[in-house]
């Protein structure tokens, strides 16, 4: 019998690889089903095990779906990633990592696959539609430009609402560090293809460990590392094109169309010299005398915009031994804007080394330099802004004269593009070095030093041919800005599970110092054309510099207790001391409490077979927000004044030793559920965050020397719901079968002002801030439409909307709705069959108002007459009043009229519904048949970005994606992209 039993056994020689990348998986557990016989894979994914001939092997590996296969003498098994299981998924948390099952906070993690290969300059753009509760708005089509990122609403009145970004454990400086290029973004220097995961921390339990910097949420970026095993080399290339998302939405009128409007305008003006002109021929002849040039028909859309080119190339290598692992990468990215002359490129590199020096000591080193180059122009109403020219230049103005010289229009966009210089270069470095020493199992010490350096070099040149440089024979402006951010962290970590009770604790000390320095020099009267160095000028114009520093000293404790891995209690506490606040309140105390209950582990859930995991959690805490201004506390006298011919000081700021942190008190309750063998998972959260001690500029008596001072006054509340669901709708039983996965999330946000700085109402630009109102509530006269009888514009006299007036100055201003959407979210579907994959993501934004700040200029209703900058918007051409009885949305044209069309007549006529749905991303890929002897994987794909956009409001003249405040400011148009890509893995 023994001999027969032995004869029925076989030796299985096998290999385990990942399904996605076909790379070996070390440490995979292989067990003979229903027996204790087991082994695991080596560093190359190989294994050897002797089992019964008819045995079934069970393969399990953390982060991958457990798989059963029939034993045979030779096996190659592919494991699929499992990012749903609460008990196995490891999430990044402040100063470490933990399983999702033990996590009491609210967080969303994006993996490498969600970020790699996207044709976007910054990983922040890929957050849009993928993270519940997070708004990421581009606002401008400037490649490499800054974004608005908001987590769970508006966090501050004036101190900033952006989250804290932490890269590999180092809090970094985000936003623009440049002077001239106001749309730059230091975080765009991080190559998305180098990122392992991005974790968005939302509630108190997740964020309060960062204390005074955590009020607006925290985004943790973990970059890639190597692993023991064969070196894996990845190479990718992308090339494509960029275009305006909706080219025809506000296509400029041609000369014939503009002439048609102006003829109507002349006839409709029954005053003065125009009173006798009542037929089109006479009106046309009059326009010729005023400067109309019917033989010139410039298409400014063609002159100013372009189909831009896009390219991205990346290569990386990862591998190592049991003692030392490495990851190294290099990348190049280039993108043209949709307007000529604006472009962006960057070069990135990254190196990560890890070494197990001894059984107890491990070392970790990261080094990542990057370079960004931008050609940008300030938006808004500046003459150099190409979008201003696109919207306002009339078609009978030509960019060039017949002899090829530049046309004489004041701000010729071709002259600006070809003769002026706007050059910004950013040289940056992110680095970290750490050592961890394990005293014994569960107890360790770790020290880390991080550095974040950004040096920006801005240069602007106004040619002698340009209006701003003509009177001084050209002017050059050179700005440099340097930011150096040091961060030191020391940690003691303890972890122990004793029978049913478990404890995790992290005790830490952290110090941060940020220094900045700005230098500006300007010169004018250049010796010759195309000599751009300031040494070529004869007249110095400006020379100044400034510097400053900000420091933070912190101590913190994070503890987590569990009972039977079912009940979790998390307690955090942190003390921060900041140089930005007064000596009486320099140190702030922050903390949180979090609870979680893994209900699925209870006995009463044992018979609910379709529920795999069910976790309830809740948290409450206090965290803070520092002042954006580094020197808001001390009394300041400004220099530069002159008194009686001598240098003088002027009082600029009154000292306030009681100025302190804004305090944020977030409450969260949520549930995480997994069902049907992880095929359906969802998360539901309710949040309520109250921000108090808002930093606001409050009025004080002028007897103090100044009339205002920054004080901690005011508060508001943000509430909302977040829902995210992931489903594996169709799951094939074979690796090459058909699979369909869906990811959906939706969020609401409601903002309410509780208290203001000693008043019930603050009117700020186009917004009104009322107690009980919304922070981004628009405030302006209400547009009542067009009188069908005579074509005049009408406005409401007050908020009751019961009476109208045809006189703008008699119209009443009142609240017109908020820029914040009612809800927003994303829907992603992924289909796989054999070697083909199709994935698409829709982003939707429902509600929220958009105000066109420059609509009063482009809807001038012919009031500008014949001028170079008197173009009329197409929406008014298509919807204007022409005869009695017309139910028009735009009033009649009146040549040099004043009833409507004046630049100061702001109203809700230019306020639009911001609802839109966008095909944010679509990818069709194919895995090429390859010889595994030379390649592990090869994939070719076609990808589109922002290909289709549905805009609810037909009157909206521009792309509906704007910054959080909801204002169109003549920024560069958003681009849509189409590209072809190739990925190769060796």
């Amino acid at each position: 019998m023994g001999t027969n039993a032995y004869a029925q056994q076989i030796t299985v020689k096998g290999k385990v690889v990942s399904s996605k990348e076909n790379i070996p998986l070390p440490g995979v557990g292989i067990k003979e089903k229903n027996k204790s016989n087991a082994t695991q894979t080596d560093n190359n994914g190989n294994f050897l095990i002797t089992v019964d001939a008819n045995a079934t092997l069970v393969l399990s590996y953390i982060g991958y779906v457990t798989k059963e296969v029939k034993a045979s003498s030779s096996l190659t098994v592919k494991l699929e990633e499992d990012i749903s299981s609460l008990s196995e998924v490891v999430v990044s948390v402040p100063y470490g990592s933990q399983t999702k099952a033990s996590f009491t906070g609210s967080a969303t993690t994006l993996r490498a696959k969600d970020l790699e290969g996207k044709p976007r300059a910054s990983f922040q753009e890929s957050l849009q539609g993928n993270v519940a509760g997070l708004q990421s708005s581009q606002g401008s089509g400037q490649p490499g430009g800054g974004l608005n990122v908001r987590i769970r609403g508006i966090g501050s009145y004036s101190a900033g609402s952006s989250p804290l970004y932490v890269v590999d454990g180092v809090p970094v400086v985000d936003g623009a560090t440049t002077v001239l290029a106001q749309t730059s973004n230091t975080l765009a220097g991080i190559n998305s293809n180098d990122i392992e995961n991005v974790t968005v921390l939302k509630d108190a339990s997740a964020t309060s460990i960062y204390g005074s910097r955590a009020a607006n949420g925290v985004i943790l970026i973990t970059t890639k590392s190597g692993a023991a095993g064969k070196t894996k080399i990845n190479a990718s290339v992308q090339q494509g094109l960029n275009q305006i998302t909706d080219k025809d939405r506000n296509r400029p009128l041609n000369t014939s169309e503009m002439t048609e409007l102006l003829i109507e305008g002349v006839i409709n003006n029954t005053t003065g010299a125009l009173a006798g002109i009542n037929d089109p021929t006479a009106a046309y002849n009059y326009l010729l005398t005023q400067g109309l040039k019917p033989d010139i028909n410039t298409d400014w859309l063609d002159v100013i915009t372009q189909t831009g080119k896009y390219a991205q190339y990346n290569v990386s290598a990862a591998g190592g031994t049991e003692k030392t692992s490495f990851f190294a990468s290099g990348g190049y990215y280039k993108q043209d804007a949709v307007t000529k002359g604006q472009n962006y490129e960057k070069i990135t590199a990254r190196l990560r080394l890890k070494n197990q020096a001894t059984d107890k000591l491990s070392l970790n080193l990261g080094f990542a330099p990057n370079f960004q180059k931008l050609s940008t122009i300030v938006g808004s109403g500046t003459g150099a802004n190409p979008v201003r020219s696109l919207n306002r230049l009339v078609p009978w103005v030509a960019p060039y004269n017949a002899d090829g010289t530049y046309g004489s229009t004041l701000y010729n966009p071709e002259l600006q593009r070809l003769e002026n210089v706007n050059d910004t270069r950013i040289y940056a470095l992110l680095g970290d070095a750490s050592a961890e020493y394990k005293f014994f199992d569960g107890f360790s010490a770790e020290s880390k030093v991080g550095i974040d350096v950004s040096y920006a070099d801005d240069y602007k040149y106004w040619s002698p041919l340009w209006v701003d440089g003509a009177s001084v024979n050209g002017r050059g402006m050179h700005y440099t800005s340097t930011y150096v951010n040091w961060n030191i962290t020391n940690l003691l970590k303890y972890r122990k599970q004793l029978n049913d009770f478990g404890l995790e604790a992290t005790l830490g000390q952290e110090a941060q110092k940020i220094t900045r320095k700005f230098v500006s020099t300007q010169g004018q009267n250049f010796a010759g054309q195309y000599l751009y160095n300031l040494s070529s000028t004869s007249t110095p114009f400006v020379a100044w510099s400034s510097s400053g520093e900000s420091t933070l000293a912190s101590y913190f404790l994070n503890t987590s207790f569990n009972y039977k891995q079912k009940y979790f209690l998390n307690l955090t506490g942190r003390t921060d001391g900041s140089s930005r606040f007064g000596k009486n309140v320099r140190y702030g105390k922050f903390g949180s409490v979090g609870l979680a209950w893994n209900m699925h582990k209870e006995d009463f859930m044992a018979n609910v077979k379709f529920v795999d995991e069910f976790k309830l959690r809740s948290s409450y805490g206090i965290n803070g927000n520092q002042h954006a201004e580094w020197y808001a506390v001390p009394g300041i006298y400004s220099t530069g004044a002159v008194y009686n011919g001598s240098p003088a000081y002027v009082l600029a700021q009154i000292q306030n030793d009681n100025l302190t942190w804004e305090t944020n008190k977030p409450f969260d309750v949520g549930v995480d559920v997994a069902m049907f063998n992880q095929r359906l998972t969802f998360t539901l959260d309710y949040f309520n965050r109250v921000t108090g001690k808002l930093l606001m500029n409050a009025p004080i008596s002028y007897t103090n020397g100044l009339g205002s001072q920054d004080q901690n006054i005011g508060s508001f509340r943000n509430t909302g719901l977040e829902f995210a669901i992931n489903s594996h709708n169709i799951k094939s039983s074979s690796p090459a079968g058909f699979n369909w996965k869906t990811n959906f999330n939706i969020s609401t946000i409601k903002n309410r002002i509780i208290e203001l700085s000693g008043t019930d109402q603050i009117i700020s630009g186009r917004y009104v801030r009322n107690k009980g109102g919304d922070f981004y509530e628009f405030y302006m006269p209400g547009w009542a439409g067009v009188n069908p009888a005579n074509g005049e514009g009408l406005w409401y006299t007050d908020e009751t909307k019961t009476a109208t007036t045809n006189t703008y100055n008699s119209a009443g201003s009142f609240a017109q709705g908020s820029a914040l959407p009612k809800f927003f979210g994303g829907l992603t579907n992924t289909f796989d069959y054999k070697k083909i994959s199709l994935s698409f993501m829709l982003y939707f934004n429902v509600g929220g108002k958009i105000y066109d700040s420059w609509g009063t200029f482009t809807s001038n209703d012919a009031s500008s007459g014949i001028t170079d900058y008197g173009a009329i918007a197409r929406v008014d051409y298509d919807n204007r009043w022409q005869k009695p009885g017309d139910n028009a949305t735009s009033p009649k044209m009146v040549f040099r009229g004043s009833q409507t069309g004046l630049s100061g007549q702001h109203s809700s006529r230019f306020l639009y519904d911001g609802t839109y749905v966008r095909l944010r991303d679509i990818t069709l890929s194919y895995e090429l048949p390859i010889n595994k002897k030379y390649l592990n994987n090869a994939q070719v794909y076609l990808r589109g970005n922002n290909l289709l956009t549905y805009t609810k409001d037909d009157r909206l003249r521009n792309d509906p994606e704007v910054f959080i405040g909801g204002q169109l400011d003549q920024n560069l148009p958003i681009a849509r992209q189409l590209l072809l890509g190739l990925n190769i893995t060796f």
Side-chain angles (χ1 to χ4, degrees):
M1 289 294 293
T3 303
N4 290 338
Y6 182 80
Q8 293 175 359
Q9 288 191 322
I10 62 172
T11 298
V12 180
K13 184 179 180 181
K15 187 168 187 174
V16 184
V17 297
S18 64
S19 175
K20 178 186 175 184
E21 297 174 314
N22 206 47
I23 61 173
L25 297 177
V28 177
I30 296 99
K31 183 177 181 295
E32 186 176 0
K33 191 173 183 179
N34 299 324
K35 291 191 175 183
S36 60
N37 183 25
T39 187
Q40 66 178 26
T41 59
D42 62 16
N43 292 335
N44 297 315
N46 299 316
F47 70 91
L48 197 69
I49 187 172
T50 300
V51 297
D52 290 344
N54 60 351
T56 297
L57 298 182
V58 180
L59 294 88
S60 59
Y61 192 53
I62 292 178
Y64 287 79
V65 177
T66 298
K67 191 170 187 177
E68 296 185 5
V69 295
K70 189 74 174 174
S72 64
S73 58
S74 179
L75 279 176
T76 297
V77 184
K78 292 186 176 182
L79 294 186
E80 294 186 354
E81 286 187 53
D82 179 8
I83 60 171
S84 302
S85 174
L86 286 171
S87 59
E88 294 185 350
V89 171
V90 176
V91 296
S92 295
V93 296
Y95 308 105
S97 61
Q98 65 184 89
T99 62
K100 193 172 182 181
S102 66
F103 187 53
T104 62
S106 176
T108 298
T109 297
L110 298 185
R111 307 288 173 173
K113 66 182 181 63
D114 302 312
L115 306 167
E116 293 171 337
K118 299 293 193 293
R120 299 163 189 159
S122 169
F123 72 89
Q124 297 157 290
E125 298 177 52
S126 296
L127 301 179
Q128 186 187 74
N130 282 313
V131 180
L134 182 146
Q135 294 172 275
S136 175
S137 297
Q138 199 168 354
S140 169
Q142 171 62 51
L147 297 88
N148 282 166
V149 176
R150 300 290 183 266
I151 299 173
R152 293 186 168 180
I154 314 303
S156 177
Y157 188 93
S158 63
S161 294
S162 295
L164 172 69
Y165 293 88
V166 181
V167 181
D168 292 326
V170 180
V172 298
V173 175
D174 67 297
T177 57
T178 54
V179 178
L180 292 178
Q182 297 179 15
T183 58
S184 67
N185 180 12
T186 57
L187 292 176
I190 301 174
N191 190 336
S192 296
N193 295 280
D194 290 343
I195 296 176
E196 183 66 33
N197 61 69
V198 173
T199 301
V200 180
L201 308 178
K202 307 174 190 178
D203 71 332
S205 184
T207 66
S208 289
I209 193 66
Y210 280 112
S212 63
R213 297 169 293 177
N216 299 314
V218 179
I219 296 181
L220 305 178
I221 300 100
T222 302
T223 60
K224 292 179 179 178
S225 300
K230 180 182 176 182
T231 297
K232 184 181 77 169
I233 299 174
N234 284 330
S236 65
V237 57
Q238 295 180 346
Q239 289 198 343
L241 301 173
N242 307 315
Q243 290 183 327
I244 295 177
T245 52
D246 193 344
K247 211 169 187 178
D248 295 324
R249 175 165 287 274
N250 194 30
R251 177 178 287 275
L253 301 180
N254 59 35
T255 298
S256 175
E257 292 167 326
M258 276 292 297
T259 301
E260 181 184 346
L261 294 184
L262 295 178
I263 287 174
E264 290 180 19
V266 170
I267 294 173
N268 288 334
N269 191 332
T270 58
T271 63
L274 301 181
I277 301 177
N278 52 25
D279 69 87
T281 302
Y284 177 73
N285 291 331
Y286 174 78
L287 293 173
L288 293 177
T289 67
Q290 300 301 300
L292 176 67
K293 299 179 178 66
D295 296 331
I296 300 176
N297 185 25
T298 301
D299 183 353
W300 287 110
L301 187 68
D302 181 64
V303 172
I304 292 173
T305 67
Q306 65 180 352
T307 296
K309 295 180 180 179
Y310 160 81
Q312 184 175 193
Y313 310 95
N314 291 284
V315 62
S316 68
T321 66
E322 290 292 338
K323 298 281 287 184
T324 303
S325 65
F326 73 93
F327 174 85
S329 73
Y332 176 76
Y333 180 103
K334 189 176 190 304
Q335 182 181 350
D336 296 329
V338 294
T339 53
K340 297 175 183 177
Q342 282 71 59
N343 51 62
Y344 172 78
E345 61 182 312
K346 68 177 176 181
I347 300 172
T348 62
R350 183 170 295 275
L351 175 65
R352 172 68 60 186
L353 294 174
K354 294 183 178 181
N355 177 255
Q356 190 68 43
T358 69
D359 291 342
K360 295 181 178 295
L361 178 63
S362 60
L363 306 174
N364 192 340
L365 175 68
F367 180 79
N370 68 78
F371 166 75
Q372 299 182 68
K373 182 181 178 182
L374 305 90
S375 177
T376 69
I377 293 177
V378 177
S380 192
T382 57
N385 181 6
V387 180
R388 176 183 185 270
S389 299
L390 176 63
N391 291 338
R392 295 177 60 188
L393 277 174
V394 294
W396 57 82
V397 169
Y400 297 99
N401 299 317
D403 60 2
T405 59
Y406 291 111
S408 60
T409 187
L410 188 62
Y411 296 107
N412 189 328
E414 284 291 89
L415 196 159
Q416 148 64 29
R417 178 172 71 91
L418 298 173
E419 303 295 337
N420 291 345
V421 176
N422 293 275
D423 185 274
T424 295
R425 304 181 185 212
I426 304 172
Y427 307 84
L429 170 69
L430 277 173
D432 64 89
S434 65
E436 182 180 19
Y437 188 84
K438 295 182 178 179
F439 296 99
F440 52 82
D441 187 30
F443 183 56
S444 64
E446 180 182 351
S447 290
K448 171 177 284 190
V449 58
I451 187 170
D452 168 26
V453 180
S454 174
Y455 174 78
D457 189 331
D458 282 308
Y459 181 76
K460 175 177 285 200
Y461 170 75
W462 286 338
S463 165
L465 301 176
W466 181 251
V467 56
D468 295 310
S471 63
V472 294
N473 194 33
R475 176 177 294 166
M477 292 149 277
H478 191 189
Y479 296 83
T480 62
S481 58
T482 306
Y483 281 78
V484 180
N485 168 28
W486 287 97
N487 198 88
I488 298 174
T489 307
N490 295 295
L491 304 173
L492 286 175
K493 296 182 177 180
Y494 181 75
R495 175 180 295 182
K496 185 69 174 178
Q497 187 74 31
L498 186 61
N499 298 324
D500 291 337
F501 296 91
L503 167 66
E504 292 185 32
T506 300
L507 178 65
Q509 173 270 330
E510 189 171 41
Q512 183 184 44
K513 181 178 181 179
I514 308 174
T515 61
R516 68 185 182 194
K517 184 177 182 180
F518 301 105
V519 178
S520 170
T521 54
Q522 297 185 27
Q524 56 196 33
N525 194 18
F526 278 82
Q529 195 174 15
Y530 308 125
L531 298 176
Y532 299 127
N533 289 326
L534 297 188
S535 60
S536 299
T537 64
S538 65
T539 308
F541 182 64
V542 169
W544 65 265
S545 65
S546 68
S547 61
E549 65 178 44
S550 171
T551 58
L552 189 71
S554 310
Y555 302 91
F556 54 89
L557 175 65
N558 182 23
T559 59
S560 180
F561 307 90
N562 78 78
Y563 176 67
K564 292 186 176 181
Q565 295 289 315
K566 286 195 295 187
Y567 313 106
F568 291 86
L569 170 65
N570 175 259
L571 299 173
T572 65
R574 180 168 178 133
T575 295
D576 279 341
S578 173
S579 63
R580 302 188 191 184
F581 293 114
K583 60 183 180 181
N584 297 336
V585 285
R586 183 153 290 163
Y587 285 87
K589 295 179 176 60
F590 311 94
S592 67
V593 56
L595 300 169
W597 176 22
N598 285 323
M599 190 188 298
H600 61 280
K601 293 188 176 183
E602 298 291 352
D603 292 340
F604 63 79
M605 292 287 290
N607 294 324
V608 187
K609 301 298 184 182
F610 66 92
V611 175
D612 305 313
E613 290 151 355
F614 195 111
K615 183 172 75 170
L616 293 175
R617 52 181 167 74
S618 184
S619 69
Y620 177 78
I622 300 175
N623 45 43
N625 194 17
Q626 296 192 70
H627 204 301
E629 174 53 51
W630 292 6
Y631 297 100
V633 168
I636 295 177
Y637 287 86
S638 63
T639 58
V642 177
Y643 178 75
N644 198 24
S646 300
Y649 294 89
V650 175
L651 180 63
Q653 181 174 283
I654 298 173
Q655 184 164 331
N656 183 357
D657 288 330
N658 295 312
L659 193 70
T660 188
W661 333 84
E662 294 182 334
T663 58
N664 180 57
K665 299 178 180 179
F667 168 77
D668 178 271
V669 60
V671 59
D672 302 319
V673 179
M675 298 185 294
F676 309 118
N677 293 321
Q678 306 292 333
R679 288 186 60 175
L680 181 67
T681 64
F682 69 84
T683 296
L684 177 65
D685 278 270
Y686 166 78
F687 65 89
N688 184 332
R689 55 182 293 220
V690 177
T691 306
K693 297 183 180 179
L694 292 178
L695 291 160
M696 302 177 67
N697 195 255
I700 60 175
S701 171
Y702 274 99
T703 58
N704 295 290
L706 293 173
S708 64
Q709 182 186 48
D710 281 354
Q711 296 181 4
N712 292 105
I713 302 174
S715 61
F716 48 56
R717 181 193 311 272
N718 292 279
T719 58
L721 290 170
E722 299 168 2
F723 178 69
I725 185 169
N726 305 308
S727 64
H728 202 151
N729 307 314
I730 298 177
K731 187 174 182 179
S732 173
S733 58
S734 66
F738 180 73
N739 291 275
W740 172 24
K741 296 179 181 179
T742 298
N743 309 96
F744 174 78
N745 69 81
I746 187 170
S747 306
T748 67
I749 181 69
K750 187 175 183 180
N751 175 270
R752 286 293 177 264
I753 296 172
I754 301 172
E755 198 69 41
L756 291 172
S757 57
T759 181
D760 290 338
Q761 184 183 80
I762 296 176
I763 297 174
S764 177
R766 303 294 165 212
Y767 305 110
V768 60
R769 275 74 190 245
N770 289 309
K771 283 187 179 181
D774 189 299
F775 184 75
Y776 282 124
E777 185 81 28
F778 283 109
Y779 182 79
M780 61 194 69
W783 176 250
V786 178
N787 188 333
N790 58 19
E792 289 186 338
L794 300 173
W795 297 269
Y796 292 110
T797 57
D798 56 37
E799 67 273 10
T800 64
K801 297 185 178 181
T802 56
T804 61
T805 177
N806 63 353
T807 303
Y808 178 78
N809 291 336
S810 299
S813 294
F814 52 93
Q816 300 289 348
S818 172
L820 297 178
K822 294 178 181 177
F823 57 89
F824 58 93
L827 171 66
T828 301
N829 280 283
T830 303
F831 306 91
D832 296 300
Y833 179 66
K834 294 186 177 180
K835 296 180 180 295
I836 300 174
S837 177
L838 173 66
S839 176
F840 67 88
M841 197 263 273
L842 297 172
Y843 175 74
F844 55 89
N845 182 96
V846 177
K849 301 291 186 179
I850 297 175
Y851 184 69
D852 185 354
S853 302
W854 300 92
T856 57
F857 290 88
T858 53
S859 285
N860 61 68
D861 303 333
S863 65
S864 298
I866 299 288
T867 66
D868 287 358
Y869 288 91
I872 301 172
R874 180 163 295 278
V875 67
D876 296 315
Y877 176 84
D878 292 337
N879 299 283
R880 71 190 185 276
W881 183 95
Q882 294 178 273
K883 63 183 184 304
D886 283 351
N887 289 315
T889 56
S890 296
K892 65 182 178 183
M893 301 292 114
V894 180
F895 191 83
R896 295 186 183 136
S898 60
Q899 198 269 328
T900 63
L902 300 185
S903 61
Q905 292 180 340
H906 294 275
S907 74
S908 61
R909 175 184 176 184
F910 312 107
L911 193 66
Y912 307 102
D913 186 334
T915 298
Y916 71 98
V917 180
R918 170 167 283 162
L919 182 59
R920 180 67 169 152
D921 186 274
I922 182 168
T923 304
L924 177 63
S925 65
Y926 175 69
E927 288 191 15
L928 299 171
I930 57 173
N931 187 335
K932 295 289 185 177
K933 181 178 179 181
Y934 303 105
L935 295 176
N936 283 332
N937 189 54
Q939 182 189 64
V940 63
Y941 57 91
L942 184 67
R943 166 166 275 157
N945 192 54
N946 297 339
L947 283 190
L948 299 172
T949 303
Y950 162 75
T951 305
K952 181 181 179 181
D953 197 329
D954 293 333
R955 301 176 304 125
L956 182 58
R957 311 165 191 200
N958 301 83
D959 189 275
E961 183 172 349
V962 295
F963 290 123
I964 299 295
Q967 293 203 46
L968 289 167
D969 200 18
Q970 298 190 140
N971 292 320
L972 296 188
I974 303 293
R976 63 181 176 187
Q977 296 166 296
L978 187 65
L979 63 94
L980 186 66
L982 173 67
N983 295 332
I984 298 175
T985 302
F986 298 91

